[in-house]
Amino acid sequence: MRALENFLFFSLLLAYISAFFSITAYEAFLVLAIISGVILLAVKRINPLKGLFSIPLIGHLSTITLSSILFLRVKEQWRRLLEQDFFSLSYFSVFALDREKVLRLVEFFLKLAPLLGLIVSIKVLYTYCTTNDVKAFWGGNFVIGNLLALPFFASLYWFFKTERKLLKLTLLLLATIFLYTSLLPVERSVILGFLLGISIFIIPLIRFSKLSIKWITLIIFVTLSGISIATYQHPKVKYWIYLLKNHSNIEETVNRISSGRVVIAKGALELIENATQNGDYTKLLIGWGYGPQKQYNNLPRYFHFMNEYESFVFLTEFINGGILNIFFLLWFYIALIYLTLKVLRKRDNLYMEKIVLVSTVWVNMGYHLFTLFWVPINALFYIFLALVERLNRLK
């Protein structure tokens, strides 16, 4: 059993490291971690439902899977659905680790984060300077911000830990680079996520930190500088400002600024209205399946590449899984708020480690408020969530 625990530990660690460089390697190590985690849970007879997010996560996955079995006819969405169902189990694998390995895993994550973040940032900035394109080692623009969330907060964590002024300034510089690189693509959902995460991180600084006001002011300055430098003179920002200054129709302006989310929302509301008028209460209860847009095809032609009605997350997830899915999703966010408040109130030896992880999770969960509730990188944030829960239970 000890050998299997070590295997799970290293699988989770390697999944975290490889997430910065290759989705193939990342998912391969996740598969190993999930399989070994499930076996350990069974052998140790650990109840997998004891986690704060166990029931809402299983409920969410079960609902969209059931509605897809009944109603979804978009074949390409099935791969993504099965991917989500399986890799979301990463959350449960953490509960199979013993106390010592949980602490070691968190320690490794925090120690490696600045180095991994620096490598990704160099890649992104080099590509941007040479080709004027924003690319990490894999994934779209949103992946950059999600990957660099932990390196950003970990750099600030080590900033608090060290007494050496030169190292403090180096860590602040790294935090600025990570924030700048994260926001370089000017993804609105990522910016929102960072604002939420940073707001949570700052609370204990103001309430309990022994740092002088100049250091706290400097951290806030670093945050504002990273956001300002990344967005200054960006074509997207210029376009948004132009629309705001020259708008004639508020709905059309909001639609353009939100990348068509108003039009997408209208398509989703049309399905809901039709189901209500036709008395199709099954779809209202459990949804139309995971990403059914191509099946109903009621959006303008330039949205035909999309499978999902990607708008405000609760509307998107209503289409995917109906009222039941919204119930579990609200449960999930309420549980996250509850866990965050619990972490903020419980000052112990692991206080800042928990603050770093929960702030990082909020970057991802804030990002999802105006996108789909699943991307492959989510599996990593489910691991962070479970680690926060485990740390909060340690005496």
Side-chain angles (χ1 to χ4, degrees):
M1 189 184 297
R2 189 167 183 80
L4 190 57
E5 275 194 46
N6 288 331
F7 183 82
L8 171 59
F9 172 85
F10 285 108
S11 295
L12 288 169
L13 179 60
L14 290 170
Y16 170 68
I17 294 170
S18 59
F20 287 81
F21 306 107
S22 166
I23 187 172
T24 304
Y26 163 62
E27 291 187 339
F29 286 118
L30 277 179
V31 169
L32 297 176
I34 289 167
I35 292 173
S36 57
V38 169
I39 293 171
L40 275 170
L41 287 173
V43 170
K44 291 183 173 184
R45 296 184 179 179
I46 296 172
N47 180 7
L49 298 180
K50 71 176 182 177
L52 192 59
F53 300 88
S54 298
I55 295 176
L57 191 56
I58 290 172
H60 161 67
L61 297 173
S62 300
T63 303
I64 60 175
T65 301
L66 176 60
S67 62
S68 297
I69 290 171
L70 294 176
F71 305 122
L72 187 65
R73 301 294 177 266
V74 185
K75 290 182 180 179
E76 57 263 41
Q77 279 298 92
W78 273 97
R79 181 191 63 80
R80 294 191 63 203
L81 174 61
L82 295 174
E83 173 191 83
Q84 178 177 357
D85 285 348
F86 180 77
F87 287 115
S88 294
L89 298 178
S90 63
Y91 169 77
F92 300 96
S93 63
V94 176
F95 293 98
L97 292 173
D98 62 25
R99 180 183 189 278
E100 177 193 348
K101 287 184 174 57
V102 167
L103 291 172
R104 283 180 60 204
L105 192 62
V106 172
E107 182 185 0
F108 273 113
F109 280 5
L110 296 182
K111 283 183 175 178
L112 290 171
L115 175 60
L116 295 170
L118 182 59
I119 295 170
V120 170
S121 295
I122 290 171
K123 164 65 169 72
V124 173
L125 294 174
Y126 175 78
T127 305
Y128 180 71
C129 291
T130 54
T131 67
N132 205 33
D133 196 11
V134 182
K135 289 284 185 185
F137 290 101
W138 68 274
N141 291 341
F142 68 89
V143 170
I144 298 168
N146 279 280
L147 281 177
L148 293 179
L150 185 56
F152 170 74
F153 290 113
S155 296
L156 294 179
Y157 166 83
W158 292 115
F159 166 85
F160 291 122
K161 286 286 186 180
T162 185
E163 296 296 328
R164 295 157 58 186
K165 286 191 176 181
L166 181 59
L167 185 54
K168 277 185 180 292
L169 291 172
T170 302
L171 289 164
L172 275 178
L173 177 61
L174 283 175
T176 307
I177 291 171
F178 297 152
L179 187 61
Y180 169 76
T181 308
S182 298
L183 305 183
L184 192 60
V186 191
E187 293 287 330
R188 289 146 303 189
S189 296
V190 173
I191 294 172
L192 174 61
F194 267 97
L195 288 174
L196 288 172
I198 290 167
S199 298
I200 290 161
F201 189 84
I202 285 176
I203 291 172
L205 300 189
I206 296 172
R207 290 178 63 192
F208 308 120
S209 179
K210 294 178 181 178
L211 290 177
S212 65
I213 192 67
K214 72 175 184 180
W215 283 114
I216 295 176
T217 305
L218 188 57
I219 291 170
I220 295 172
F221 175 75
V222 163
T223 299
L224 295 176
S225 297
I227 294 173
S228 301
I229 296 169
T231 58
Y232 178 69
Q233 294 294 310
H234 195 281
K236 279 187 182 179
V237 178
K238 286 183 177 179
Y239 177 62
W240 297 337
I241 292 171
Y242 169 80
L243 288 175
L244 290 171
K245 285 182 177 179
N246 299 278
H247 75 274
S248 55
N249 183 292
I250 293 177
E251 182 181 308
E252 184 181 341
T253 301
V254 173
N255 184 59
R256 289 185 178 183
I257 290 176
S258 64
S259 302
R261 279 175 171 78
V262 174
V263 171
I264 296 170
K266 285 183 175 180
L269 290 170
E270 182 184 312
L271 292 189
I272 296 170
E273 183 181 357
N274 290 340
T276 304
Q277 291 175 350
N278 297 329
D280 196 347
Y281 299 116
T282 305
K283 285 194 174 79
L284 293 173
L285 180 63
I286 63 171
W288 285 253
Y290 183 65
Q293 194 278 129
K294 284 183 179 175
Q295 185 170 329
Y296 296 93
N297 202 21
N298 65 341
L299 296 181
R301 293 185 66 181
Y302 52 86
F303 284 122
H304 285 187
F305 69 94
M306 293 174 58
N307 292 313
E308 301 86 0
Y309 290 89
E310 188 174 343
S311 186
F312 180 54
V313 66
F314 290 104
L315 180 57
T316 303
E317 293 304 322
F318 188 95
I319 295 299
N320 289 350
I323 294 170
L324 202 55
N325 195 32
I326 296 302
F327 170 75
F328 288 119
L329 202 61
L330 280 170
W331 186 344
F332 191 98
Y333 272 97
I334 291 169
L336 179 56
I337 293 169
Y338 170 77
L339 179 64
T340 304
L341 292 174
K342 204 171 177 182
V343 166
L344 288 169
R345 288 171 183 163
K346 187 180 179 182
R347 291 190 66 198
D348 53 24
N349 293 333
L350 299 169
Y351 184 63
M352 283 310 298
E353 286 85 348
K354 291 183 287 184
I355 291 292
V356 167
L357 289 172
V358 83
S359 299
T360 300
V361 168
W362 271 107
V363 173
N364 179 260
M365 291 300 137
Y367 158 77
H368 282 299
L369 287 174
F370 292 95
T371 60
L372 303 171
F373 195 62
W374 171 259
V375 286
I377 202 68
N378 271 36
L380 198 58
F381 288 87
Y382 291 157
I383 292 170
F384 296 160
L385 266 180
L387 286 172
V388 175
E389 284 191 74
R390 292 295 308 276
L391 292 178
N392 222 35
R393 294 175 186 174
L394 296 180
K395 302 289 185 180

